[in-house]
Amino acid sequence: MALFTVKDLSFSYPQQSTPALTAIDLTVEAGGFVVLCGRSGCGKSTLLRHLKTVLTPHGTREGEVLFGDRPLAQVELREQSSRIGFVLQSPDNQIVTDKVWHELAFGLESLGCDTATIRLRVAEMASFFGIQEWYHKDVNELSGGQKQLLNLAAVMVMQPDVLVLDEPTAQLDPIAAAEFLNQLKKINDETGTTIILAEQRLEVVLPLADKVVVLVDGRILAAGDVGAVSANLNANGSAMLKAFPTATRVFLAAENLTGSTRSPAATCPITIREGRNWLKRQLAQQLEQPLTQQLEELLPTAQSQAVALDSPTHIPYSIPVPPTAPIPAHIPAHRESQRDSQIDSPSNANAIVAGAREVWFRYDRKGEDILRGLTLEVRESELFCLLGGNGTGKSTTLGVLAGLRKPYRGKVWIEKHAGSSNPLSAVSSIKPTAARGGLCLLPQDSQTVFTEKTIRDDLLTMFSDPKSEVSLAITDNIAMLLEIDTLLDRHPFDVSAGEQQRAALAKVLLREPQVLLLDEPTKGLDAAFKEQLAAILVKLKSQSVSILMVSHDIEFCAAHADRCAMLFDGAIISQGPRRQFFNNNNFYTTAANRMSRGLIDDIVTAEDILERLSAPTPETQG
Amino acid sequence: MRNLHPAISFGYFAFVILITVVFLHPVMLGISLVSSLLYAIYLNGIKSLRFTLLFLVPMMLLAAIINPLFNHLGNTVLFTVANIQITLESTLYGLATAAMLAAVILWFSCYNKIMTSDKFIYLFGRIIPAISLIISMALRFIPRYIAQIKKISYAQRAIGRDVGSGRIIDRLRSGADVLSIMVTWALENGVDTADSMRSRGYGLKGRSAYSLYQPNSRDKTLAAFSLYLAVLVIAGIALRLVLISYFPLIELNHLSVSALFIYLAFLLLCLFPLLLDGFEELKWRFSRSRI
Amino acid sequence: MDASTKTRLPLKTIVSIVVIVLCIPVIIGLSLLLPGQGGMYAISAIVIAMVMAPFILAFEGRRPQARELVLIAVMIALAVAGRAAFFMVPQFKPMIALVIIAGVALGAESGFVTGSLSAFISNFIFGQGPWTPWQMFALGLIGFLAGMLFAKGRIPTKRLPLCIFGALSALLIYGLFMDTSSVLLMTNLLSGQSALAIYLAGLPFNAVHAVATVLFLIFLAPFMIEKLERVRMKYGLLGNIQ
């Protein structure tokens, strides 16, 4: 029986001309795992909030939502409270009380359960989630991932039939996010609780889902299983496909290339493993025509082929780099160089603009060292990405480079170039830069940046003469550059996370930095916003701005960085041009690389695989 | 005493502090002062007590001085300074008050260690649920806000608006900026918290209050015992077995057997937490040494 | 809150409030019979607790919604974090200013709760003591009066009246209450002379407190009241306070 039935639901917020939701028809079966995806601002949250009466926003509404066979509005609040669990995005904001145990009990207290019942249910949940160890702690001592697990557990104690989650992992790092999503899978598998999840991390989440719903501008574009939906999106040429798992994307793009639909949608690969298997078959097919004989001699069956292929030392079907392969415009032509050495990399030829040499840093005199002999340099007009897990010192590195934290040993420097070529600096009504000579840091949390009531006023605070026409002109200019020109009169807290991020970036750019430091700029952004951010960074690079960003986002760095480095234990343990960097890593690398490792050389992005597949039939390695 | 039921701890402190404040009997004050000092040292250690004493001594001095200076109720004039009669009664009264202050402050320092916020919330969670919840929420917000303030001023420095330097007026301005960001952030993010509460059924009728504390047999025994002592003390005061009056002439009970009995009851009551904790600690050490 | 919500208080609450109010004179009367001339402070503290009880019970009685509780908790946490942030500077605290703002923006009753709980909760950090009830009542009263005077537009929420109110409440309400509690605790008698001496001794501290309050109000009040207004508008909080 359908748990939720949404019938022809349309909704508009007050005083807004475009509806947030239009003619939504959706059924959610009991026990299902439904993933709702779409760009931020497409109406995901609005739709999810219609699944619980107390969270339903005010506005004009048509259509109806059924819970079971009753209209949701007629289901008593008490029943809704326990049967429909809701987890929101921010791990911190959702926690109400100061103690872990109290937070777990909160929902049951609301329902008026007696102490014995609460004790039992809380104990069960704490055991299920492994919370016992921090059961007595203050909430403030928990990590972000633990907080979000606590939020999940605090809803699960009420034994809901369905869990609705609105981008619960947006604020988490990849490891905590994976752990959280695995818990969801466990709940779904072991208790049969229905899951309705809005998520951006489709690479991780789609393999778990049995139904995907794609929302675009408040309408359902496609719904169904992953294979069907991705085929549908592909047929429509939808940009939403960009957010789908690498394996799926490569598969569909390859289909497009061959112009065939011989594989039924059901075989569409989603996980890396499925992608590898598909790729193996694909490569075998490619080789089949000209080299059938050799193939059969070498490998009697596809199965034993797989074993051989996984060994990196013996790679019979590895495809060497085709000399004729087209090179994407934004990647400097260093195909040849990457094998030899990194010296020829064009970004290495650029002048060094800032750097750190053997820097040591700790927060407390008696504390542990956070940076242990960190050495790095940032070159002109490059995007340098610093990757690494939690607590490796990424943010601290930025703080030290920005001069906000003083190292106790080692040197941090920035080259002062005479004339900045930044076109914005043509007018010098901007306040003299207080940050270290043209070096600026964009903090991770954009909400810590805004002081004024509108984004325009906020940007204008960066000028010594905010009311002059020049200031206004520069502001408009920068707003165009960052595509926030339509948002200038909105309150900074009323726009989406991605928009806040860009407004904050605009504010920093008004400082005309020569070197821009970015702290996790892609956190919580959807795929489309990430593309926009990448385009903005390219624009900045073309204006001689050097960019150093720290990130967990391997895929973004792999697609857009010039150079990458990996930070571990307070020092850089490997660095190099992006291709070389990711090819040298086995595990800490992109999905495309993992999918093709041992099958095709030198793959970093999904586009690389496609390129290679579409290339003229290669020769076997000689 | 830490793992005693909160209601017993709260009642205990309320009673001992009340007797100390109301009944300025020199022997009882002495008992209260010494016991509170010992227990405070036991709980806080001598070092952390130094601050309390530092703040306590001037208060005691003030009380010892201000009473004879402004209170002329006594009949026994000791001497006259600048037209002010200093009486024996008010001087002694001042000393008693000083001792009372010390004892009360010390008892409170023990109270602060034992009656943590969650115990208070538990105690009053049923009587004043909304207020208790506000307290719990505020206690969650406070450390978060202090951390956020640091984050904001760091972020402001990062984008080139320095908080800690420049002219005073600039510093004040950027300080105000940090505060304004903080307030906006706190208020805007609070809405999620409210949504999370309502989503988990806050506002439904018949809310209950869960707690980790369950009265056990030890609690009941100890409660009965301390209640018995308290009743003895009250009875002693009501029956004027122990009595004190400072004005117009000092009037003190004689040292009779019954008075001694009351003193003993009060002494036992005041030392009760220390004896309890000390006994359990000894038992713990003993059992560990045998392992 | 407006009158309509007050009349909806449950009967139980109303009865308890009446009983408590009737008890106050009885307690004061009993105090005269106490032996040993030590009772003044204890009695006054008990009376104060009993005076506060009706405010608290009325607040509980109308079962405030989640968003209102959050807003009050946020204001309290700001006030306490403010007290903690300025702990090095004696008496230079933003607490009164924030309590006044809460009263102005959220109404008299919420103002009282914000004030008294700010005092109470900050003492979880700085230590409870014999001053706790007095402090709670003084700050609660300031929040309550701020709500009474400003929340319904009786006095325009401009900087000048707010600052005058702030200075007066620091000097006459908070200062006077706290000093009176000291007098009572130290002498147990309400002698005019000793009171005067302590008030005079406390005056410099209270003056600093008043100046701090005024400064914080100048900096904080306009934008904070506007922000609270914005949050109420955006999320439909607290219904219809003007």
Side-chain angles (χ1 to χ4, degrees):
Chain A
M1 191 191 81
L3 191 69
F4 272 117
T5 314
V6 180
K7 276 192 194 158
D8 199 25
L9 179 71
S10 297
F11 176 78
S12 307
Y13 284 100
Q15 293 155 2
Q16 284 194 7
S17 48
T18 44
L21 296 174
T22 312
I24 301 285
D25 273 306
L26 180 67
T27 49
V28 177
E29 297 298 326
F33 195 125
V34 180
V35 171
L36 187 60
C37 60
R39 293 197 53 174
S40 55
C42 71
K44 291 195 298 291
S45 297
T46 311
L47 177 54
L48 290 185
R49 280 172 174 265
H50 274 89
L51 302 182
K52 188 149 183 168
T53 304
V54 287
L55 298 179
T56 304
H58 297 287
T60 47
R61 189 178 351 264
E62 279 168 43
E64 63 174 352
V65 178
L66 300 180
F67 182 62
D69 44 10
R70 290 169 295 169
L72 184 67
Q74 287 171 23
V75 179
E76 258 194 86
L77 289 185
R78 181 174 297 274
E79 189 181 340
Q80 284 195 30
S81 296
S82 77
R83 292 185 65 189
I84 306 171
F86 214 103
V87 178
L88 301 158
Q89 191 181 99
S90 161
D92 261 305
N93 291 350
Q94 290 175 76
I95 298 177
V96 178
T97 63
D98 57 334
K99 302 279 183 201
V100 170
W101 63 265
H102 198 180
E103 191 64 23
L104 284 174
F106 186 88
L108 298 173
E109 287 183 332
S110 301
L111 297 179
C113 294
D114 58 36
T115 300
T117 312
I118 298 182
R119 190 171 305 254
L120 174 64
R121 294 238 209 134
V122 164
E124 281 182 324
M125 267 316 124
S127 311
F128 187 85
F129 287 97
I131 287 177
Q132 303 98 312
E133 281 156 51
W134 26 287
Y135 183 64
H136 285 278
K137 277 198 180 175
D138 271 7
V139 168
N140 292 299
E141 296 169 41
L142 306 184
S143 71
Q146 287 176 323
K147 282 178 187 158
Q148 199 64 304
L149 272 185
L150 172 61
N151 286 323
L152 181 58
V155 167
M156 283 302 294
V157 287
M158 302 172 80
Q159 301 178 340
D161 296 341
V162 53
L163 270 179
V164 185
L165 305 102
D166 189 1
E167 297 200 28
T169 69
Q171 312 281 322
L172 306 184
D173 65 76
I175 293 168
E179 195 189 334
F180 183 87
L181 294 171
N182 285 333
Q183 285 287 2
L184 280 187
K185 180 69 184 161
K186 191 177 157 201
I187 291 171
N188 183 240
D189 282 346
E190 295 183 11
T191 67
T193 308
T194 313
I195 309 260
I196 305 173
L197 170 70
E199 203 27 268
Q200 301 289 356
R201 296 176 198 267
L202 299 186
E203 189 94 42
V204 193
V205 130
L206 285 192
L208 312 177
D210 48 38
K211 181 170 185 176
V212 189
V213 178
V214 180
L215 215 57
V216 172
D217 295 332
R219 290 171 189 275
I220 292 183
L221 187 66
D225 67 44
V226 181
V229 166
S230 53
N232 184 337
L233 292 180
N234 186 35
N236 289 326
S238 166
M240 267 312 295
L241 202 56
K242 271 190 184 162
F244 272 59
T246 308
T248 311
R249 259 157 56 213
V250 171
F251 167 79
L252 289 170
E255 301 249 292
N256 292 352
L257 279 176
T258 52
S260 73
T261 48
R262 64 207 133 100
S263 332
T267 65
C268 171
I270 303 166
T271 62
I272 299 283
R273 191 185 59 184
E274 289 164 2
R276 278 183 75 87
N277 289 336
W278 170 80
L279 191 61
K280 278 175 208 162
R281 284 198 302 274
Q282 200 70 9
L283 291 171
Q285 277 171 12
Q286 278 208 349
L287 290 170
E288 237 166 47
Q289 282 90 32
L291 299 164
T292 322
Q293 284 304 108
Q294 287 177 35
L295 217 177
E296 274 174 357
E297 281 171 31
L298 269 166
L299 295 157
T301 67
Q303 286 305 324
S304 62
Q305 184 184 2
V307 179
L309 285 171
D310 278 340
S311 145
T313 48
H314 176 68
I315 310 172
Y317 286 94
S318 183
I319 303 168
V321 178
T324 50
I327 296 166
H330 65 284
I331 302 168
H334 61 288
R335 274 283 157 85
E336 273 97 276
S337 69
Q338 73 221 355
R339 287 239 181 93
D340 309 319
S341 75
Q342 64 184 82
I343 297 162
D344 297 329
S345 162
S347 98
N348 270 6
N350 286 351
I352 297 171
V353 291
R357 184 170 300 131
E358 295 187 7
V359 162
W360 291 71
F361 176 83
R362 58 181 168 225
Y363 285 94
D364 296 316
R365 231 159 73 87
K366 288 178 183 165
E368 262 184 58
D369 285 319
I370 306 295
L371 300 182
R372 302 160 182 266
L374 174 90
T375 301
L376 65 80
E377 47 206 31
V378 184
R379 292 167 186 277
E380 193 179 346
S381 312
E382 74 165 351
L383 173 57
F384 181 28
C385 292
L386 201 53
L387 293 132
N390 265 350
T392 50
K394 294 197 305 292
S395 294
T396 313
T397 304
L398 291 187
V400 165
L401 281 174
L404 299 169
R405 312 239 187 251
K406 298 273 173 270
Y408 70 91
R409 201 185 301 155
K411 192 182 143 199
V412 176
W413 80 93
I414 172 166
E415 301 290 332
K416 307 228 178 210
H417 285 266
S420 167
S421 46
N422 192 335
L424 292 167
S425 67
V427 199
S428 56
S429 72
I430 298 177
K431 281 182 199 167
T433 309
R436 283 172 82 98
L439 187 145
C440 244
L441 165 59
L442 180 65
Q444 193 178 123
D445 182 358
S446 318
Q447 293 191 342
T448 57
V449 168
F450 306 114
T451 50
E452 304 301 316
K453 273 177 289 178
T454 66
I455 293 175
R456 186 196 309 278
D457 287 350
D458 202 72
L459 293 177
L460 287 172
T461 57
M462 299 303 271
F463 297 92
S464 52
D465 181 9
K467 291 207 178 95
S468 77
E469 296 213 348
V470 184
S471 309
L472 289 171
I474 295 178
T475 306
D476 284 343
N477 191 6
I478 202 102
M480 299 278 264
L481 178 71
L482 295 184
E483 295 163 34
I484 51 168
D485 41 324
T486 53
L487 310 170
L488 281 175
D489 293 314
R490 305 269 295 273
H491 192 286
F493 279 78
D494 284 347
V495 301
S496 75
E499 289 160 347
Q500 282 178 358
Q501 177 93 46
R502 280 181 287 161
L505 184 58
K507 199 166 175 179
V508 167
L509 287 180
L510 286 174
R511 285 261 173 232
E512 305 172 59
Q514 260 178 306
V515 182
L516 182 61
L517 308 178
L518 303 174
D519 195 349
E520 297 275 3
T522 60
K523 197 174 186 177
L525 297 193
D526 65 41
F529 269 133
K530 284 185 194 174
E531 291 300 313
Q532 284 179 2
L533 177 68
I536 289 163
L537 295 183
V538 170
K539 274 188 214 170
L540 289 174
K541 283 200 297 183
S542 74
Q543 294 171 1
S544 301
V545 178
S546 313
I547 304 154
L548 168 62
M549 69 177 253
V550 302
S551 184
H552 284 298
D553 192 339
I554 294 174
E555 302 294 331
F556 183 86
C557 298
H560 305 290
D562 294 314
R563 285 194 306 138
C564 294
M566 182 153 168
L567 195 66
F568 181 74
D569 197 26
I572 286 180
I573 53 161
S574 82
Q575 64 176 322
R578 126 191 117 96
R579 291 187 156 273
Q580 185 188 325
F581 177 84
F582 284 107
N583 276 311
N584 285 344
N585 292 354
N586 277 313
F587 187 73
Y588 203 79
T589 184
T590 59
N593 185 291
R594 279 178 279 139
M595 184 172 141
S596 59
R597 180 159 292 269
L599 302 176
I600 318 177
D601 277 349
D602 190 34
I603 294 295
V604 174
T605 61
E607 285 69 26
D608 291 344
I609 301 182
L610 276 179
E611 210 173 85
R612 230 51 84 63
L613 285 178
S614 63
T617 314
E619 298 158 32
T620 44
Q621 209 168 29
Chain B
M1 184 138 186
R2 268 173 230 266
N3 45 21
L4 211 57
H5 195 269
I8 305 177
S9 312
F10 188 79
Y12 174 82
F13 281 115
F15 181 76
V16 172
I17 290 174
L18 193 75
I19 290 288
T20 308
V21 172
V22 173
F23 198 55
L24 295 175
H25 190 288
V27 179
M28 309 269 277
L29 272 180
I31 291 171
S32 178
L33 182 58
V34 171
S35 321
S36 63
L37 184 67
L38 289 176
Y39 195 46
I41 289 173
Y42 172 79
L43 283 180
N44 302 300
I46 292 196
K47 264 190 190 162
S48 65
L49 214 62
R50 230 183 267 159
F51 182 77
T52 314
L53 294 178
L54 214 69
F55 149 86
L56 198 58
V57 169
M59 254 181 100
M60 291 171 71
L61 277 177
L62 192 63
I65 293 168
I66 204 166
N67 276 298
L69 273 183
F70 294 108
N71 182 341
H72 316 301
L73 289 172
N75 282 358
T76 327
V77 179
L78 288 178
F79 53 88
T80 310
V81 189
N83 252 355
I84 298 174
Q85 291 181 336
I86 303 293
T87 65
L88 174 69
E89 288 79 9
S90 63
T91 308
L92 290 176
Y93 186 80
L95 290 176
T97 310
M100 176 271 279
L101 276 175
V104 166
I105 301 287
L106 287 169
W107 277 126
F108 265 109
S109 82
C110 302
Y111 169 94
N112 286 326
K113 262 275 184 313
I114 301 283
M115 283 297 290
T116 46
S117 54
D118 52 325
K119 290 189 186 166
F120 183 88
I121 291 166
Y122 160 66
L123 265 187
F124 291 90
R126 276 163 228 265
I127 313 169
I128 40 173
I131 298 280
S132 300
L133 189 58
I134 291 180
I135 295 175
S136 176
M137 278 154 68
L139 286 169
R140 148 128 185 81
F141 291 155
I142 291 161
R144 202 177 156 210
Y145 287 5
I146 291 173
Q148 185 70 11
I149 284 241
K150 285 185 192 144
K151 235 167 107 182
I152 292 169
S153 61
Y154 180 80
Q156 289 291 304
R157 285 202 296 149
I159 64 163
R161 318 184 94 223
D162 210 333
V163 185
S165 64
R167 290 177 301 155
I168 289 265
I169 188 79
D170 291 338
R171 270 154 72 179
L172 275 179
R173 222 198 109 59
S174 46
D177 274 349
V178 170
L179 239 109
S180 96
I181 298 171
M182 175 68 219
V183 171
T184 311
W185 177 87
L187 290 172
E188 303 270 345
N189 286 293
V191 174
D192 269 358
T193 314
D195 277 348
S196 155
M197 289 166 71
R198 294 199 304 157
S199 164
R200 283 186 283 157
Y202 185 81
L204 294 175
K205 265 203 156 99
R207 184 178 163 79
S208 63
Y210 174 65
S211 88
L212 298 177
Y213 306 100
Q214 276 186 310
N216 51 32
S217 58
R218 171 176 170 269
D219 286 331
K220 282 173 200 154
T221 317
L222 293 174
F225 179 62
S226 46
L227 195 67
Y228 170 67
L229 292 177
V231 167
L232 283 183
V233 172
I234 292 279
I237 294 171
L239 299 173
R240 297 173 76 86
L241 297 174
V242 288
L243 80 116
I244 177 76
S245 174
Y246 286 89
F247 308 110
L249 279 170
I250 291 182
E251 198 184 330
L252 188 68
N253 59 294
H254 296 290
L255 194 63
S256 60
V257 177
S258 50
L260 261 177
F261 186 70
I262 302 297
Y263 294 156
L264 191 69
F266 191 61
L267 180 70
L268 217 55
L269 189 66
C270 283
L271 287 178
F272 165 73
L274 194 64
L275 293 175
L276 187 69
D277 290 3
F279 176 67
E280 292 196 338
E281 193 161 310
L282 273 182
K283 217 164 92 180
W284 176 242
R285 281 195 191 164
F286 183 62
S287 68
R288 251 206 347 198
S289 68
R290 290 218 297 198
I291 293 170
Chain C
M1 283 282 125
D2 55 0
S4 62
T5 46
K6 255 198 177 144
T7 51
R8 264 190 262 122
L9 280 181
L11 189 67
K12 206 173 74 182
T13 312
I14 295 169
V15 171
S16 8
I17 291 174
V18 169
V19 168
I20 288 169
V21 170
L22 289 178
C23 276
I24 293 173
V26 177
I27 294 272
I28 295 175
L30 276 177
S31 74
L32 303 174
L33 303 174
L34 261 186
Q37 292 110 356
M40 269 305 251
Y41 177 80
I43 295 301
S44 63
I46 290 169
V47 169
I48 279 185
M50 295 182 82
V51 172
M52 278 192 286
F55 289 98
I56 302 289
L57 287 180
F59 179 78
E60 289 284 351
R62 69 178 167 81
R63 307 202 325 132
Q65 337 161 6
R67 287 179 165 176
E68 188 175 0
L69 293 191
V70 169
L71 214 48
I72 292 172
V74 166
M75 290 305 294
I76 292 170
L78 286 172
V80 177
R83 182 175 171 192
F86 287 90
F87 83 104
M88 289 309 281
V89 206
Q91 304 299 322
F92 199 86
K93 309 279 189 254
M95 249 170 112
I96 293 185
L98 284 164
V99 169
I100 291 175
I101 291 167
V104 172
L106 308 181
E109 202 179 74
S110 300
F112 184 88
V113 172
T114 308
S116 54
L117 287 187
S118 296
F120 184 63
I121 292 169
S122 71
N123 287 345
F124 274 122
I125 301 170
F126 301 97
Q128 308 285 0
W131 50 81
T132 300
W134 292 81
Q135 214 176 8
M136 285 175 71
F137 187 66
L139 277 175
L141 188 62
I142 291 171
F144 185 80
L145 287 179
M148 278 301 195
L149 293 175
F150 294 98
K152 288 184 181 158
R154 295 200 181 99
I155 300 178
T157 44
K158 297 247 169 64
R159 267 198 183 129
L160 186 66
L162 274 175
C163 287
I164 292 173
F165 178 75
L168 289 180
S169 38
L171 283 174
L172 294 182
I173 302 179
Y174 192 80
L176 212 62
F177 265 77
M178 295 313 288
D179 291 345
T180 307
S181 96
S182 303
V183 173
L184 283 177
L185 190 61
M186 284 190 207
T187 67
N188 259 315
L189 301 162
L190 260 184
S191 117
Q193 277 178 311
S194 57
L196 197 65
I198 287 205
Y199 292 147
L200 284 177
L203 196 60
F205 296 99
N206 294 335
V208 173
H209 204 167
V211 170
T213 303
V214 169
L215 282 179
F216 280 115
L217 278 174
I218 290 175
F219 263 118
L220 292 175
F223 95 86
M224 274 197 70
I225 289 169
E226 189 186 294
K227 266 180 188 158
L228 281 161
E229 201 65 32
R230 178 188 130 76
V231 171
R232 281 220 317 261
M233 291 286 282
K234 185 169 169 183
Y235 301 101
L237 290 173
L238 297 190
N240 51 351
I241 302 166
Q242 297 304 300

